[in-house]
């Protein structure tokens, strides 16, 4: 039985995505699904090599063949997931292995449809997620989510960034039970030069590009 599906969309992250995979605890009740979105560097080669060298990690590697965008890639990943819960580990981030593992261990002790975790960012600060921040911090990277909750929900594939906000909005309209673990389990690579949200902050992506 698969308790958790860890989903990673990746494009041109030949080094960071490997660090993220290294941080995942090795367990028999999780699966890892990575989908390459038409990378032009060695990302796909490195992923396939990693899979061969780490059979202890239940990992599947797929390729879009061409660049479709993060939303389309996320939709394909979610469709392939088999776990009762899912979590998006973004390709430039990591998990804090021991804390993340403890959350997986206790996943069935929670009664929620969503179990939120806290984040460690690049300057050493901890971002605590609670009900007052649910709208601002809507990324699925900081939550374990019951897969049945999002049945029929899709990421909007016409936006350049912020696709997780639209997904989150539709998900929360279903009135799920949310539990806040208070556990710092995710290493969020923020701020990072070249990320979509960094480009937006610098005015290189317009707000209208964030609308479906």
């Amino acid at each position: 039985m698969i308790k958790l599906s860890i989903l990673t969309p990746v494009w041109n992250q030949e080094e960071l995505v490997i660090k993220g995979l290294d941080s995942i605890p090795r367990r028999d009740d999780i699966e890892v699904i990575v989908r390459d979105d038409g990378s032009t560097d060695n990302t796909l080669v490195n992923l396939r090599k990693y899979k061969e060298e780490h059979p202890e990690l239940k990992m599947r590697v797929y390729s879009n063949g061409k660049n479709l965008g993060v939303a389309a890639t996320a939709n394909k990943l979610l469709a392939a997931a088999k776990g009762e819960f899912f979590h998006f580990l973004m390709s430039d981030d990591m998990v804090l292995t021991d804390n993340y593992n403890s959350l997986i261990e206790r996943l069935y002790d929670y009664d929620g449809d969503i179990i939120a975790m806290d984040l460690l960012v690049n300057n050493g600060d901890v971002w605590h997620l609670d009900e007052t921040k649910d709208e601002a911090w809507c990324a699925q990277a900081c939550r374990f989510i019951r897969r049945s909750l999002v049945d029929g929900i899709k990421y909007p594939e016409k936006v350049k960034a912020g696709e997780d906000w639209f997904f989150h909005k539709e998900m929360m309209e279903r009135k799920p039970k949310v539990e806040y673990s208070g556990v710092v389990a995710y290493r969020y690579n923020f701020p990072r030069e070249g990320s979509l949200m960094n480009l937006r902050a610098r005015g290189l992506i317009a707000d209208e590009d964030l609308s479906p």
Side-chain angles (χ1 to χ4, degrees):
M1 179 179 178
I2 302 299
K3 183 186 290 189
L4 176 68
S5 298
I6 301 172
L7 311 177
T8 298
V10 58
W11 179 78
N12 283 4
Q13 290 290 354
E14 59 186 16
E15 296 180 359
L16 288 178
V17 69
I18 299 302
K19 292 181 179 180
L21 293 173
D22 280 341
S23 72
I24 296 173
R26 273 44 179 170
R27 301 176 59 103
D28 291 334
D29 56 357
I30 66 174
E31 65 174 359
V32 179
I33 311 174
V34 185
R35 180 171 281 274
D36 179 71
D37 189 23
S39 292
T40 57
D41 62 1
N42 290 320
T43 294
L44 186 56
V45 172
N46 289 357
L47 286 171
R48 288 171 172 165
K49 181 180 179 182
Y50 191 91
K51 175 179 168 58
E52 291 180 2
E53 294 178 347
H54 295 272
E56 79 284 359
L57 189 64
K58 291 183 178 178
M59 177 176 167
R60 287 181 274 156
V61 177
Y62 298 102
S63 173
N64 288 342
K66 62 179 180 179
N67 186 259
L68 300 178
V70 64
T73 306
N75 285 333
K76 289 178 179 294
L77 283 166
L78 196 50
K82 298 178 180 178
E84 184 172 349
F85 288 84
F86 71 92
H87 171 237
F88 274 93
L89 170 57
M90 305 313 289
S91 62
D92 53 347
D93 297 336
M94 301 169 62
V95 298
L96 301 179
T97 309
D98 291 343
N99 289 353
Y100 191 83
N101 189 59
S102 72
L103 275 181
I104 299 173
E105 193 70 32
R106 297 184 288 116
L107 195 52
Y108 290 155
D109 294 340
Y110 291 98
D111 191 36
D113 301 300
I114 299 172
I115 295 89
M117 64 192 84
D118 292 349
L119 295 83
L120 176 69
V121 296
N122 287 342
N123 67 356
D125 288 348
V126 171
W127 292 2
H128 297 285
L129 183 62
D130 59 32
E131 60 274 5
T132 68
K133 302 181 180 73
D134 236 345
E135 282 299 312
W137 299 356
C138 58
Q140 288 73 61
C142 54
R143 294 168 173 84
F144 293 146
I145 301 169
R146 196 177 299 274
R147 192 160 53 90
S148 60
L149 172 66
V150 301
D151 185 39
I153 300 178
K154 300 287 186 182
Y155 288 89
E157 299 186 4
K158 294 183 179 180
V159 301
K160 292 184 178 179
E163 67 289 328
D164 50 352
W165 185 89
F166 299 101
F167 188 97
H168 181 81
K169 182 175 181 292
E170 189 171 352
M171 178 178 71
M172 296 306 291
E173 287 172 354
R174 298 186 175 186
K175 306 298 182 183
K177 181 177 180 180
V178 182
E179 297 195 52
Y180 301 92
S181 71
V183 176
V184 185
Y186 196 85
R187 178 67 161 81
Y188 181 28
N189 190 6
F190 175 87
R192 181 178 67 81
E193 189 73 18
S195 71
L196 287 174
M197 300 317 288
N198 177 270
L199 293 173
R200 183 192 184 197
R202 292 164 54 199
L204 300 179
I205 292 179
D207 284 343
E208 56 265 26
D209 290 329
L210 305 182
S211 300

